[in-house]
Amino acid sequence: MSQLIAFFQTILSLALVLGIVVLIHEFGHFIAARLMGVRVEVFSFGFGPRLLGRKFGDTDFRLSLVPLGGYVRMAGEEEIDVENP
């Protein structure tokens, strides 16, 4: 039983560290864009549907359903439809 608990502690620790790394990485994109004068439309921790968030100024800060990454959408970036170019 203690091996199972140790396994889940390891998985949880990995997820926590990965989440912190992703958050810091995406925050770097956010800061770089703002320092260059680029408007940031969305700062998202996670992918998929929005779970919660708040808009401050021009930026929509959000927490999304799948916490395996994140993204920063800057002004001027267009969403590309791969199937219908």
Side-chain angles (χ1 to χ4, degrees):
M1 188 65 159
S2 64
Q3 288 180 340
L4 187 60
I5 292 172
F7 173 75
F8 284 116
Q9 280 181 322
T10 301
I11 296 299
L12 187 61
S13 297
L14 177 65
L16 181 66
V17 169
L18 182 61
I20 291 169
V21 168
V22 166
L23 193 61
I24 292 170
H25 175 86
E26 294 306 327
F27 189 66
H29 289 285
F30 175 80
I31 292 297
R34 296 302 300 137
L35 287 174
M36 298 304 292
V38 177
R39 191 179 81 231
V40 176
E41 295 173 352
V42 177
F43 179 94
S44 179
F45 179 67
F47 297 106
R50 174 186 174 150
L51 294 177
L52 57 99
R54 175 165 275 174
K55 189 165 185 165
F56 292 103
D58 293 331
T59 306
D60 179 22
F61 293 90
R62 60 175 69 167
L63 177 65
S64 298
L65 183 63
V66 184
L68 297 176
Y71 65 94
V72 173
R73 184 171 58 217
M74 298 174 211
E77 292 183 330
E78 297 180 25
E79 293 184 23
I80 299 172
D81 187 357
V82 179
E83 294 180 12
N84 301 314

